[in-house]
Amino acid sequence: MQEFITAFDDSYKTTSKKITSKPDDEKYFTHKEVKPEEFREMLINHFLGKERLGVSPEIEGQEDLILFAGIDIDGKAKKNNKELTTEEKYQIALNLQKAFWEQYRLQALIEQSKSKGFHLFTFFDIPANREFIQKVLENLVTEVTDRTITNGDIEIFPKGKKGLALNLPYFGLFKDENTINEDFYELKKSCFVEGENMEPIENPLERIEATKNANSATLLFLETLKDYPLCVSKAALNWTEGERNSLTMAVAGVLKKVAKTPIDEAINVITNIAEHNKDEELSGRIATVEATYANDDKEIAACSVMKGDNENLVLSQIYCQSNCKDNKQQTSIKARVRAIQADKDSRGVYQKDKIAEVIISELLNLGKIYRANKLYYLFLNEEKRLICISDDPLELRALFTKWGINASENLYKYVLNELYAYCVTNPEDVEIHRFAYYNPKNFTLYLYNGIKEILKITSDKIETIENGDEGVMFEELNNYEPFRLVDYDKKIDYVSKYLTDNLNIDKVASLLSLSTQRQIAKIWFYSLFFESIMKTKPIFTAIGNKGSGKTTFLRRVGQILFGKKFNVTSVANDCKDLETIITNNYYVVIDNLDNPPKALNDALARIATGQIIKKRKYFTTNHELEFEVKCFVALTSRTPQFTRDDVADRLICIYLERFSLFKDENNLCRLVMDNRDEIFSYIINQLQKIIKKLEDKQDEDLSVDFRMADFAVFALKTAENEQVQKELEEIFAKMIKIQNEFTLKDDVLYTVLSNFARNTDHKGKRFTPAELYRLFKLEAEGLGLEKPFEAVYKNPKSVSTRLRNIKDNLSDEILIYYKKGHRNQYYYTFELVDESEYQDPLI
């Protein structure tokens, strides 16, 4: 029973009045101000057949909103006043159910009631507009049944007076709280039924939920059309191919002649209808609206088409309805808000829900709702901007203030919550990008250059499109400075001149040559434009003493990409703001990172592997947000100590030495910014060449030893020729050694293991973790490293875990073998690579 109580409580708990009656049909008793726990107790009695519960559709305190609707079919005959047969009543219910779906795309369930009639129930996930649903039900009954809506024949809920109740289904379903009555579904009384043979529905909770889910999307669409005559909604939901142009002409005529709607609003209505129906001829529909509005009112075919009276535009069905009226007020949003606030009841309270309807309707006129990473966005069609719908969005505040709702008012919070509720049910899922997006399917790079300009770059063409075109959507970048495409000197490599040639490479500190380090830095720079094909991202690390230009280089990269306001950042030891930084930026430089804490190492590993970051939404208990990491991170360090193997394996390191002479940082920045248009124009030309290579080598399946495989494959595919490819493969082999140095540097276990493995007494022997821990402690004591060793390695498990983690990093010096043996006990054996002459005894 508990499942039924929860489901019915979710659907009916906010009703304005609850009414119960005795099983023997004694007088109804009205309960006022029912508490939630009292309502749940009423539900228990209802399911046990003790007291039959009826509720009204209106929400308590928000009587203009409903959570369900119903039609009560008692069915007395018209002429002889005799009651219709059960079969006749059921056929009416089936006809209404069918028309409800065909005309309005809303699902309903049929219940055979205790009074030998039928109830038609429809459910909503989010509150629906009472007046609109009432109008739909009235029109449905009138057209389908040709009967009068009256007591004893057919009634609708909601109807006339607010607060009238409809009995709930499944009265007497349970024998006790754990047992269903054996004959309940056989009797088919007070349960949902379906099909021509009136079969009982024995999974009602699933069907109720399915009905709610199916109705949500349609209802939200209908809500956008509720202020217009119903024929507009009907036509919108029956946007039949072959008749769409005629329907457009008819709808436009109704909007102009009947609803007195301005042309811009009419175009928005038709656009909304076309997008909902995936109509690919939107431009033609808009042209039809414009042509209709250009005609004189007398020449416009409107109601005649909807009625089927127009010989020139014959539609397959009639869309006109009897209670045609238009309630739309052609006034400003602020004026409409003020009018609603002025219309107070006897308690001095105005209807906040109506204000929310006005605001949400206007937002939908301005744009469309999208969802990405469990967040909701409003895309403004004219401005081509995305506004995140959050608790404190400045852009949304500005709009609400313009419409007469100040963020300091409780009304603001109410409207915002209503907007959240609307967003939950009918958003369009999209992927929202930052700065650059490469589509590998059509070999196209989209590059953000300001809110209204996106560069579409292919191997042979550069076009300018607007944000949102071709389904590609970018988030607005704060402090971004657009660039212009200009002519540049074809003899100059601008990336070398303004970036990599300025690297003061330390020729001694690295295994890589000066030219090689600059080459890797350049490949990394171009990889920043191809985030979508780099699920795993390298962590570029510039290492050098103070005055080596490491920060200047990485800052200059950001200034070229985003503008002069870009700067590096630092992270506190608690890494409190790191996740916020990396989930809200495309490129981040963390400055002076020498000994990262565990939290930062964890974050760096997530960045490099492109994991999902999950965060609890502020001021909520369990609402979780998900962020896919799409951020490139670069680090600067003087004395790096990245002993985490999963971090070190993802580093691309260049070593810099201190400049003997220094240049003014402001002048360097000014020099770059003065030439940014030329630099970026050159970069885009190079990007076209890279796209061409990726296209030519799309079928090449490359495998590499380098842990950062995505970066390595990108480098190999974009190499000039096979010779450069071979050179890069050698470079990656050397970079693996550099990464290993980071992993093993200053690790006391590495020092201890090196001595241990060189002891001939240990050659070929196998050791348990406990034995290793004891022998390593003795080795550390002999080396004077006992305290450092015990500070890090406190038990055999910590030694065993570290050995497995660094196994691959040591593979060019020491071979580590381990295998599970008796009673799940692991055994280890070691061998020096330069002395490897024996077979692993564990194999």
Side-chain angles (χ1 to χ4, degrees):
M1 183 188 292
Q2 191 58 45
E3 289 183 343
F4 278 81
I5 291 173
T6 300
F8 275 49
D9 189 43
D10 286 343
S11 295
Y12 305 109
K13 64 184 175 184
T14 54
T15 50
S16 58
K17 292 183 180 180
K18 286 83 180 177
I19 304 173
T20 62
S21 69
K22 297 290 185 180
D24 57 355
D25 289 330
E26 292 184 5
K27 290 183 179 180
Y28 282 95
F29 179 79
T30 300
H31 298 263
K32 296 182 178 180
E33 298 180 357
V34 176
K35 296 178 181 179
E37 58 269 22
E38 294 174 337
F39 184 61
R40 293 176 73 86
E41 186 64 28
M42 290 177 181
L43 282 170
I44 293 174
N45 290 333
H46 176 83
F47 291 128
L48 291 175
K50 295 179 179 179
E51 285 187 302
R52 191 168 187 179
L53 182 63
V55 299
S56 60
E58 296 85 3
I59 297 175
E60 186 174 10
Q62 302 178 58
E63 281 78 17
D64 284 328
L65 298 176
I66 60 174
L67 282 172
F68 76 97
I71 300 176
D72 184 7
I73 306 166
D74 288 327
K76 289 186 177 180
K78 282 186 171 183
K79 294 181 178 178
N80 52 20
N81 205 33
K82 289 183 179 179
E83 188 172 332
L84 298 177
T85 65
T86 300
E87 291 73 21
E88 289 173 327
K89 295 177 188 177
Y90 185 56
Q91 190 58 52
I92 291 174
L94 287 173
N95 293 341
L96 287 169
Q97 183 187 50
K98 180 181 179 183
F100 211 30
W101 169 253
E102 290 181 348
Q103 292 189 32
Y104 297 101
R105 295 295 183 267
L106 292 172
Q107 290 189 5
L109 297 173
I110 300 173
E111 177 221 5
Q112 183 175 20
S113 68
K114 284 277 187 179
S115 60
K116 300 180 182 180
F118 292 89
H119 294 156
L120 199 69
F121 279 97
T122 186
F123 306 92
F124 313 121
D125 250 340
I126 61 172
N129 181 271
R130 180 189 189 276
E131 185 178 352
F132 176 70
I133 296 299
Q134 182 178 346
K135 188 164 62 172
V136 167
L137 294 180
E138 289 173 352
N139 186 63
L140 195 70
V141 171
T142 302
E143 289 191 355
V144 173
T145 68
D146 195 29
R147 304 181 74 86
T148 304
I149 298 174
T150 184
N151 291 345
D153 193 357
I154 294 181
E155 297 179 76
I156 63 171
F157 297 83
K159 67 176 182 179
K161 183 180 176 182
K162 296 177 182 178
L164 298 176
L166 178 65
N167 286 331
L168 297 184
Y170 291 90
F171 174 70
L173 170 63
F174 286 88
K175 182 184 297 185
D176 56 48
E177 292 194 12
N178 299 310
T179 310
I180 292 178
N181 280 319
E182 297 89 349
D183 60 353
F184 181 83
Y185 289 110
E186 292 180 8
L187 295 174
K188 304 177 186 177
K189 300 294 185 182
S190 192
C191 77
F192 293 142
V193 292
E194 64 181 353
E196 294 295 331
N197 296 323
M198 204 189 305
E199 295 295 326
I201 295 175
E202 297 187 10
N203 60 337
L205 301 186
E206 294 177 18
R207 296 295 292 275
I208 290 173
E209 193 63 27
T211 300
K212 289 162 69 174
N213 291 337
N215 288 345
S216 294
T218 301
L219 183 63
L220 287 171
F221 175 60
L222 287 173
E223 283 280 329
T224 66
L225 303 173
K226 66 181 176 57
D227 291 319
Y228 308 102
L230 269 182
C231 59
V232 174
S233 298
K234 287 173 148 184
L237 292 171
N238 294 273
W239 207 246
T240 309
E241 287 192 34
E243 296 186 354
R244 290 177 173 177
N245 196 56
S246 298
L247 285 169
T248 302
M249 191 178 301
V251 169
V254 168
L255 292 175
K256 185 173 189 286
K257 293 181 69 173
V258 179
K260 308 300 182 185
T261 304
I263 184 171
D264 289 344
E265 186 174 339
I267 289 174
N268 283 337
V269 171
I270 291 297
T271 300
N272 189 22
I273 293 172
E275 288 178 349
H276 179 79
N277 289 282
K278 296 180 173 56
D279 187 346
E280 297 179 355
E281 298 181 26
L282 177 58
S283 59
R285 309 294 175 235
I286 293 174
T288 299
V289 174
E290 292 172 341
T292 301
Y293 269 69
N295 289 338
D296 183 79
D297 282 3
K298 295 180 180 179
E299 299 174 355
I300 294 176
C303 296
S304 62
V305 181
M306 295 297 191
K307 292 177 181 178
D309 296 337
N310 192 301
E311 296 179 356
N312 297 320
L313 293 172
V314 179
L315 300 176
S316 58
Q317 60 179 293
I318 295 173
Y319 294 96
C320 186
Q321 29 74 44
S322 57
N323 58 336
C324 179
K325 60 181 179 179
D326 172 44
N327 299 319
K328 190 161 184 66
Q329 299 177 5
Q330 299 301 325
T331 55
S332 71
I333 302 301
K334 188 172 184 177
R336 293 171 69 186
V337 168
R338 292 289 181 258
I340 295 171
Q341 288 177 319
D343 185 19
K344 297 179 180 179
D345 61 16
S346 58
R347 298 171 298 169
V349 177
Y350 62 85
Q351 295 175 311
K352 293 187 291 185
D353 56 303
K354 285 199 170 184
I355 293 177
E357 290 175 21
V358 169
I359 298 301
I360 293 173
S361 177
E362 182 63 16
L363 289 174
L364 294 176
N365 285 335
L366 294 174
K368 194 171 182 180
I369 301 296
Y370 293 99
R371 177 174 57 197
N373 296 323
K374 292 189 176 181
L375 290 174
Y376 299 99
Y377 296 84
L378 171 68
F379 182 75
L380 299 175
N381 294 328
E382 290 296 324
E383 300 180 38
K384 302 297 181 182
R385 295 176 60 204
L386 277 167
I387 295 178
C388 182
I389 300 173
S390 63
D391 295 329
D392 192 28
L394 294 178
E395 298 92 341
L396 210 56
R397 280 189 173 204
L399 276 177
F400 279 24
T401 301
K402 177 183 175 183
W403 295 334
I405 303 175
N406 191 280
S408 63
E409 301 173 354
N410 289 331
L411 177 61
Y412 176 85
K413 295 180 181 179
Y414 177 86
V415 173
L416 194 59
N417 285 332
E418 291 296 294
L419 180 57
Y420 278 137
Y422 180 92
C423 291
V424 166
T425 52
N426 194 31
E428 182 176 328
D429 289 312
V430 297
E431 187 175 0
I432 297 174
H433 311 287
R434 286 194 188 95
F435 183 62
Y437 166 63
Y438 175 69
N439 187 339
K441 294 180 180 179
N442 59 10
F443 308 101
T444 303
L445 176 66
Y446 298 90
L447 189 62
Y448 178 92
N449 194 33
I451 198 59
K452 285 198 172 183
E453 180 177 293
I454 307 299
L455 292 183
K456 177 185 176 183
I457 307 168
T458 61
S459 59
D460 58 357
K461 188 183 297 184
I462 302 171
E463 299 177 82
T464 299
I465 63 174
E466 290 191 325
N467 194 16
D469 291 354
E470 302 184 6
V472 179
M473 202 164 295
F474 284 86
E475 187 174 313
E476 185 174 1
L477 299 181
N478 293 328
N479 298 323
Y480 179 83
E481 296 179 46
F483 61 87
R484 294 182 303 112
L485 289 176
V486 297
D487 292 331
Y488 58 90
D489 191 337
K490 301 298 190 292
K491 298 178 181 178
I492 298 176
D493 182 332
Y494 284 80
V495 172
S496 295
K497 179 178 179 179
Y498 290 98
L499 282 176
T500 56
D501 282 356
N502 294 306
L503 290 170
N504 194 32
I505 301 294
D506 189 332
K507 307 173 187 65
V508 179
S510 175
L511 295 172
L512 303 178
S513 67
L514 182 151
S515 60
T516 296
Q517 292 191 63
R518 287 177 174 167
Q519 180 184 7
I520 290 296
K522 187 180 290 187
I523 295 172
W524 166 77
F525 174 79
Y526 284 116
S527 74
L528 297 178
F529 294 88
F530 295 88
E531 184 279 330
S532 63
I533 57 173
M534 292 203 183
K535 184 70 174 176
T536 57
K537 298 174 181 63
I539 301 173
F540 191 88
T541 307
I543 302 165
N545 292 324
K546 182 179 179 181
S548 59
K550 55 188 183 298
T551 301
T552 299
F553 170 75
L554 293 175
R555 181 190 290 118
R556 194 179 298 131
V557 168
Q559 289 172 340
I560 289 175
L561 297 180
F562 306 104
K564 64 183 177 184
K565 292 185 179 181
F566 177 87
N567 211 338
V568 301
T569 188
S570 58
V571 178
N573 287 334
D574 60 5
C575 305
K576 186 177 180 180
D577 299 322
L578 182 62
E579 288 186 344
T580 300
I581 293 172
I582 64 178
T583 54
N584 284 281
N585 289 278
Y586 189 86
Y587 169 68
V588 171
V589 180
I590 302 177
D591 201 23
N592 293 324
L593 188 65
D594 293 329
N595 188 15
K598 181 182 183 301
L600 182 52
N601 268 314
D602 292 340
L604 292 175
R606 289 198 296 271
I607 293 166
T609 54
Q611 295 179 18
I612 298 291
I613 290 180
K614 295 186 176 182
K615 298 177 66 176
R616 180 178 64 84
K617 186 178 179 182
Y618 288 133
F619 310 116
T620 65
T621 53
N622 64 352
H623 185 77
E624 192 174 64
L625 302 178
E626 291 185 356
F627 300 92
E628 184 178 357
V629 178
K630 296 184 177 183
C631 179
F632 287 93
V633 172
L635 313 174
T636 73
S637 182
R638 286 173 291 184
T639 57
Q641 298 180 39
F642 303 124
T643 57
R644 276 275 295 267
D645 58 289
D646 56 348
V647 174
D649 286 352
R650 292 169 172 85
L651 298 179
I652 292 179
C653 304
I654 58 169
Y655 291 82
L656 307 175
E657 60 182 0
R658 184 179 173 87
F659 282 103
S660 56
L661 296 174
F662 299 96
K663 296 181 180 179
D664 180 14
E665 176 71 16
N666 288 331
N667 284 331
L668 288 174
C669 175
R670 185 162 49 250
L671 181 65
V672 169
M673 296 312 298
D674 287 346
N675 292 278
R676 184 166 176 253
D677 290 341
E678 288 80 3
I679 296 171
F680 232 126
S681 298
Y682 167 81
I683 289 170
I684 289 176
N685 178 265
Q686 297 303 113
L687 291 173
Q688 287 188 287
K689 295 178 181 178
I690 290 173
I691 293 170
K692 176 62 176 172
K693 290 171 184 173
L694 292 173
E695 187 174 357
D696 291 343
K697 298 179 181 180
Q698 59 180 297
D699 297 326
E700 286 190 15
D701 187 13
L702 300 176
S703 298
V704 293
D705 293 332
F706 194 51
R707 182 78 176 269
M708 299 306 295
D710 291 334
F711 175 77
V713 168
F714 172 81
L716 293 172
K717 283 192 173 183
T718 57
E720 290 293 333
N721 48 54
E722 291 185 5
Q723 178 61 35
V724 176
Q725 276 190 335
K726 291 180 181 178
E727 292 173 359
L728 285 171
E729 289 172 354
E730 295 174 1
I731 290 170
F732 292 139
K734 291 180 180 179
M735 290 175 68
I736 292 173
K737 292 184 179 180
I738 296 173
Q739 292 172 339
N740 291 340
E741 287 181 7
F742 271 100
T743 303
L744 304 174
K745 186 179 181 181
D746 300 325
D747 187 347
V748 65
L749 182 64
Y750 169 65
T751 305
V752 169
L753 178 59
S754 295
N755 271 34
F756 182 85
R758 285 177 172 75
N759 189 329
T760 55
D761 291 341
H762 301 146
K763 186 174 181 178
K765 292 184 178 180
R766 66 180 192 172
F767 305 91
T768 66
E771 290 170 337
L772 276 182
Y773 184 67
R774 179 179 61 82
L775 292 172
F776 280 7
K777 282 181 66 176
L778 291 174
E779 195 72 46
E781 184 179 352
L783 294 169
L785 299 173
E786 183 178 8
K787 287 185 177 180
F789 180 84
E790 291 182 340
V792 179
Y793 302 101
K794 302 183 183 301
N795 51 55
K797 184 178 179 181
S798 61
V799 169
S800 179
T801 300
R802 180 61 173 165
L803 285 175
R804 294 186 200 181
N805 287 342
I806 64 174
K807 175 177 177 289
D808 293 334
N809 302 100
L810 284 166
S811 59
D812 61 343
E813 182 180 352
I814 302 172
L815 300 177
I816 300 176
Y817 305 98
Y818 64 92
K819 189 175 183 180
K820 188 181 291 186
H822 184 59
R823 293 182 178 178
N824 291 326
Q825 175 67 64
Y826 275 97
Y827 294 93
Y828 289 81
T829 187
F830 308 91
E831 178 186 8
L832 296 175
V833 171
D834 56 3
E835 297 178 1
S836 57
E837 298 174 353
Y838 69 98
Q839 178 72 21
D840 175 16
L842 298 180
I843 298 178

